[in-house]
Amino acid sequence: SVGNVGIEICAELSWDANVDVDLTLGPTSFGINQVKMSGLGCIVFTPLMDKEPLVGGVHVFFVNTPFIDFKFKGLGGLSELQAVDAMLEHKIKGELRKEMVLPNRKTIRFPSAAITDMAEF
Protein backbone atom coordinates (compact mmCIF):
# COMPACT_ATOMS: atom_id res chain seq x y z
CA SER A 1 0.00 0.00 0.00
CA VAL A 2 1.19 3.52 -0.71
CA GLY A 3 -0.17 4.85 2.57
CA ASN A 4 -3.27 6.56 3.84
CA VAL A 5 -3.64 9.01 0.97
CA GLY A 6 -6.40 9.53 -1.50
CA ILE A 7 -8.04 11.69 -4.11
CA GLU A 8 -10.77 14.09 -2.99
CA ILE A 9 -13.21 15.70 -5.40
CA CYS A 10 -15.70 18.27 -4.11
CA ALA A 11 -18.21 20.15 -6.22
CA GLU A 12 -21.45 22.06 -5.96
CA LEU A 13 -24.10 19.52 -6.96
CA SER A 14 -27.56 20.25 -8.29
CA TRP A 15 -30.16 17.58 -8.99
CA ASP A 16 -33.72 18.12 -10.24
CA ALA A 17 -35.53 14.88 -10.95
CA ASN A 18 -39.02 13.79 -11.76
CA VAL A 19 -39.55 10.62 -9.76
CA ASP A 20 -42.42 8.23 -9.20
CA VAL A 21 -42.40 7.01 -5.60
CA ASP A 22 -45.68 5.59 -4.32
CA LEU A 23 -46.44 4.56 -0.76
CA THR A 24 -49.58 3.00 0.64
CA LEU A 25 -50.56 3.33 4.26
CA GLY A 26 -53.85 1.58 4.97
CA PRO A 27 -56.47 2.89 2.55
CA THR A 28 -54.44 5.98 1.64
CA SER A 29 -51.83 6.24 -1.10
CA PHE A 30 -49.33 9.05 -1.42
CA GLY A 31 -45.92 9.62 -2.89
CA ILE A 32 -43.26 11.93 -4.25
CA ASN A 33 -43.16 13.06 -7.87
CA GLN A 34 -40.28 15.55 -7.83
CA VAL A 35 -37.02 15.91 -5.89
CA LYS A 36 -34.69 18.91 -6.01
CA MET A 37 -31.40 18.86 -4.17
CA SER A 38 -28.28 21.03 -4.18
CA GLY A 39 -25.21 21.35 -2.00
CA LEU A 40 -21.48 20.86 -1.73
CA GLY A 41 -20.82 17.15 -2.18
CA CYS A 42 -17.54 15.26 -1.95
CA ILE A 43 -16.21 11.89 -2.93
CA VAL A 44 -12.91 10.66 -1.54
CA PHE A 45 -11.12 7.75 -3.19
CA THR A 46 -8.96 6.18 -0.50
CA PRO A 47 -6.61 4.53 0.19
CA LEU A 48 -4.54 4.55 -2.96
CA MET A 49 -3.08 1.09 -3.53
CA ASP A 50 0.10 0.04 -5.30
CA LYS A 51 -1.77 -2.67 -7.24
CA GLU A 52 -5.23 -3.13 -8.74
CA PRO A 53 -7.89 -1.99 -7.99
CA LEU A 54 -5.64 1.05 -7.22
CA VAL A 55 -8.25 2.46 -4.83
CA GLY A 56 -9.54 0.62 -1.77
CA GLY A 57 -12.89 2.35 -1.57
CA VAL A 58 -14.74 5.63 -1.47
CA HIS A 59 -16.28 7.98 1.07
CA VAL A 60 -19.28 10.04 -0.13
CA PHE A 61 -20.66 12.98 1.88
CA PHE A 62 -22.02 16.51 1.92
CA VAL A 63 -20.01 19.24 3.66
CA ASN A 64 -23.18 20.93 4.95
CA THR A 65 -26.84 19.93 4.90
CA PRO A 66 -27.94 20.23 1.26
CA PHE A 67 -31.03 22.12 0.14
CA ILE A 68 -33.79 19.57 -0.51
CA ASP A 69 -37.28 20.14 -1.85
CA PHE A 70 -39.96 17.54 -2.52
CA LYS A 71 -43.21 17.70 -4.44
CA PHE A 72 -45.68 15.34 -2.86
CA LYS A 73 -48.62 13.70 -4.58
CA GLY A 74 -51.46 11.87 -3.00
CA LEU A 75 -54.69 10.06 -3.51
CA GLY A 76 -57.35 10.66 -0.96
CA GLY A 77 -56.06 14.21 -0.40
CA LEU A 78 -53.10 13.34 1.84
CA SER A 79 -50.67 15.52 -0.07
CA GLU A 80 -52.99 18.48 0.46
CA LEU A 81 -52.31 18.34 4.19
CA GLN A 82 -49.30 20.61 4.61
CA ALA A 83 -48.56 19.29 8.09
CA VAL A 84 -48.19 15.75 6.75
CA ASP A 85 -45.99 16.92 3.87
CA ALA A 86 -43.82 18.94 6.28
CA MET A 87 -43.46 15.96 8.64
CA LEU A 88 -42.42 13.64 5.78
CA GLU A 89 -39.94 16.19 4.43
CA HIS A 90 -38.47 16.77 7.91
CA LYS A 91 -38.04 13.01 8.43
CA ILE A 92 -36.34 12.49 5.04
CA LYS A 93 -33.99 15.46 5.56
CA GLY A 94 -33.12 14.23 9.05
CA GLU A 95 -32.20 10.78 7.76
CA LEU A 96 -30.03 12.28 5.02
CA ARG A 97 -28.28 14.47 7.60
CA LYS A 98 -27.63 11.45 9.85
CA GLU A 99 -26.18 9.40 7.01
CA MET A 100 -24.48 11.76 4.55
CA VAL A 101 -23.55 15.13 6.14
CA LEU A 102 -20.19 15.55 7.86
CA PRO A 103 -19.03 14.13 10.19
CA ASN A 104 -21.18 11.28 8.80
CA ARG A 105 -20.51 9.74 5.41
CA LYS A 106 -21.22 6.69 3.32
CA THR A 107 -18.23 4.40 2.99
CA ILE A 108 -18.04 1.88 0.20
CA ARG A 109 -15.20 -0.60 0.29
CA PHE A 110 -14.28 -2.30 -2.95
CA PRO A 111 -14.50 -6.05 -2.31
CA SER A 112 -11.31 -6.86 -4.20
CA ALA A 113 -9.21 -4.46 -2.07
CA ALA A 114 -7.37 -5.98 0.89
CA ILE A 115 -7.39 -3.22 3.55
CA THR A 116 -6.39 -4.23 7.04
CA ASP A 117 -4.95 -1.05 8.55
CA MET A 118 -7.86 1.40 8.15
CA ALA A 119 -10.67 1.17 10.71
CA GLU A 120 -13.21 3.01 8.53
CA PHE A 121 -13.04 0.19 6.00
Side-chain angles (χ1 to χ4, degrees):
S1 167
V2 294
N4 189 8
V5 296
I7 300 168
E8 182 173 337
I9 301 170
C10 294
E12 190 66 33
L13 305 173
S14 181
W15 185 52
D16 185 351
N18 293 324
V19 298
D20 189 16
V21 178
D22 293 309
L23 305 165
T24 301
L25 187 62
T28 307
S29 295
F30 59 97
I32 300 172
N33 58 13
Q34 185 178 28
V35 177
K36 292 181 181 182
M37 187 165 76
S38 62
L40 181 58
C42 298
I43 184 167
V44 180
F45 299 91
T46 187
L48 298 179
M49 314 286 278
D50 55 6
K51 59 183 179 176
E52 287 188 18
L54 300 181
V55 176
V58 296
H59 299 293
V60 181
F61 56 88
F62 287 96
V63 174
N64 297 306
T65 303
F67 163 81
I68 306 171
D69 186 41
F70 300 97
K71 297 290 186 238
F72 292 97
K73 62 181 180 175
L75 302 174
L78 180 64
S79 69
E80 295 172 8
L81 299 174
Q82 290 182 349
V84 174
D85 288 355
M87 188 251 336
L88 287 171
E89 190 168 337
H90 177 76
K91 185 70 172 167
I92 292 168
K93 287 179 180 179
E95 289 301 313
L96 178 69
R97 205 170 16 262
K98 281 191 333 191
E99 297 291 327
M100 297 284 297
V101 178
L102 284 179
N104 304 309
R105 61 188 172 202
K106 279 293 178 198
T107 297
I108 303 162
R109 178 182 174 178
F110 298 150
S112 59
I115 305 168
T116 58
D117 59 347
M118 295 181 71
E120 63 267 24
F121 283 101

